[in-house]
Amino acid sequence: MQQASDPIESRQFETATATEVGTSTASADAVKAKREFNKLQKRLRRQVGNAIIDYGMIHEGDKVMVCLSGGKDSYTMLEILMNLQRNAPVNFELVAVNLDQKQPGFPEHVLPEYLDAKGVNYHILERDTYSVVKEKTPEGKTTCALCSRLRRGSLYGFAEEIGATKVALGHHREDILETLFLNMFFGGSLKAMPPKLLSDDGKNIVIRPLAYCREADIAEFARQMAFPIIPCNLCGSQPNLQRQVVKEMLAEWEVKHPGRLETMFKAVTNVAPSQLADRDLFDFEGLEAKQRQMQETRIDAFDLLAREA
């Protein structure tokens, strides 16, 4: 008669088996997570590389000033550009610049510590734009417009000081689409954020390497990289923020109609001036003259056959 197994040994075997299964599952999950992160990283690098090529953003010998705010977008932009710099067919320099606007409670140590650890050349530009914005903005109004102008002016001027040939901003695909709808809804103009821009005074060329990148991909990349994110308490906490309303509208569209944002962004890159109504952009007045010219040069197949007969 076969002797029954020891209950203690049975429990130990079951525990060991469960541990092995758990370890195996955890290992498989880790491998899958690593694979997904690699795909995400490659996708972002490819999209940034394509945007740079498509719009001629960076050339041999460029000194690119990377504007680093401490948010997910600018961290991601710097990380991807650093990687591309190591593998690019052209030589270019990167210098990170943070504008310390003297917001109360701003953790001044975070960015220097991060950039020192990464070995990145950087500058911290101190300008008390916060006080100006709070003083000049009426109660209940949003601070974005004035803050953006002051920030842009400070960064553009500093780019000249350090001899930067390009100013890189971290705007992504959704930022571009949000700006398009903000201008349509509230500005009465059909314009967005171009991937490459010459400043009004002609002194700076602005580039947006993340123009092709989805915000969700950037957010996930930032989470996986564990960037030390610094929230903007001046902008993000404002009530009645029009951009936030538009952002929510676009997010709802994407949920209800997946792929709609991709289609809309493609539309931004595929403009037909003759199908709009901007008289400066298209010569509507000259259509009759163009019609006459086309008629004069048109070959009538029936006339040609009649002559040959």
Side-chain angles (χ1 to χ4, degrees):
M1 185 176 194
Q2 187 174 2
Q3 188 175 4
S5 60
D6 188 339
I8 296 178
E9 290 182 359
S10 179
R11 285 196 299 271
Q12 288 176 340
F13 175 77
E14 291 172 358
T15 301
T17 302
T19 301
E20 289 176 4
V21 170
T23 302
S24 177
T25 302
S27 178
D29 289 343
V31 170
K32 181 180 179 181
K34 178 66 174 176
R35 185 167 59 247
E36 290 301 315
F37 175 74
N38 287 339
K39 288 168 59 178
L40 171 62
Q41 188 169 232
K42 288 178 181 178
R43 181 163 62 251
L44 289 171
R45 289 175 182 173
R46 182 180 66 254
Q47 290 169 339
V48 171
N50 288 342
I52 290 173
I53 292 171
D54 288 350
Y55 293 93
M57 293 185 183
I58 298 176
H59 298 99
E60 180 72 32
D62 268 339
K63 183 174 185 177
V64 181
M65 187 177 97
V66 181
C67 298
L68 195 65
S69 66
K72 69 182 189 312
D73 306 326
S74 59
Y75 275 123
T76 298
M77 174 174 63
L78 177 61
E79 181 69 26
I80 300 298
L81 286 178
M82 288 173 61
N83 178 269
L84 293 178
Q85 184 188 38
R86 292 190 290 268
N87 301 286
V90 298
N91 295 310
F92 62 93
E93 181 182 351
L94 293 175
V95 54
V97 173
N98 169 252
L99 176 61
D100 181 354
Q101 299 177 268
K102 296 304 175 184
Q103 287 181 229
F106 182 79
E108 299 179 357
H109 65 285
V110 171
L111 284 171
E113 289 178 359
Y114 174 80
L115 294 169
D116 283 333
K118 298 288 289 186
V120 179
N121 182 25
Y122 70 92
H123 299 276
I124 304 296
L125 179 62
E126 298 185 0
R127 298 285 189 274
D128 188 6
T129 62
Y130 177 84
S131 298
V132 177
V133 169
K134 298 300 287 185
E135 178 186 345
K136 300 294 184 182
T137 304
E139 187 69 28
K141 298 293 184 179
T142 57
T143 61
C144 293
L146 178 58
C147 180
S148 178
R149 285 199 301 272
L150 293 173
R151 186 171 63 248
R152 187 165 57 243
S154 298
L155 290 170
Y156 285 6
F158 190 66
E160 288 186 76
E161 288 183 32
I162 64 174
T165 55
K166 303 288 171 61
V167 177
L169 303 179
H171 298 119
H172 48 68
R173 185 191 69 175
E174 278 82 347
D175 285 327
I176 293 173
L177 290 175
E178 288 162 18
T179 303
L180 173 70
F181 282 95
L182 281 169
N183 283 320
M184 282 198 294
F185 293 166
F186 306 106
S189 62
L190 191 61
K191 63 179 183 179
M193 291 175 172
K196 187 178 181 182
L197 171 73
L198 180 64
S199 61
D200 291 339
D201 60 9
K203 294 180 179 180
N204 299 99
I205 292 181
V206 178
I207 60 174
R208 296 182 169 97
L210 299 180
Y212 290 172
C213 300
R214 297 169 61 247
E215 183 175 15
D217 284 347
I218 293 170
E220 178 59 20
F221 183 75
R223 187 188 70 80
Q224 295 263 14
M225 293 292 292
F227 293 136
I229 303 297
I230 302 174
C232 179
N233 297 322
L234 178 63
C235 299
S237 59
Q238 297 176 89
N240 305 320
L241 200 61
Q242 293 171 341
R243 182 172 288 275
Q244 185 60 36
V245 173
V246 172
K247 179 185 285 291
E248 292 171 1
M249 177 191 75
L250 295 179
E252 182 180 352
W253 285 357
E254 184 65 14
V255 170
K256 291 182 178 179
H257 308 280
R260 174 171 287 187
L261 296 190
E262 186 66 32
T263 302
M264 287 193 297
F265 184 79
K266 185 177 180 181
V268 174
T269 70
N270 186 27
V271 178
S274 65
Q275 307 304 304
L276 297 174
D278 191 326
R279 291 169 296 173
D280 293 328
L281 195 63
F282 186 79
D283 183 17
F284 294 98
E285 186 67 27
L287 282 179
E288 286 79 4
K290 183 176 181 180
Q291 181 189 37
R292 287 192 296 271
Q293 182 184 12
M294 292 176 67
Q295 291 296 322
E296 289 171 0
T297 58
R298 185 170 68 96
I299 298 175
D300 193 312
F302 291 104
D303 288 348
L304 186 60
L305 290 173
R307 290 172 195 167
E308 290 179 352

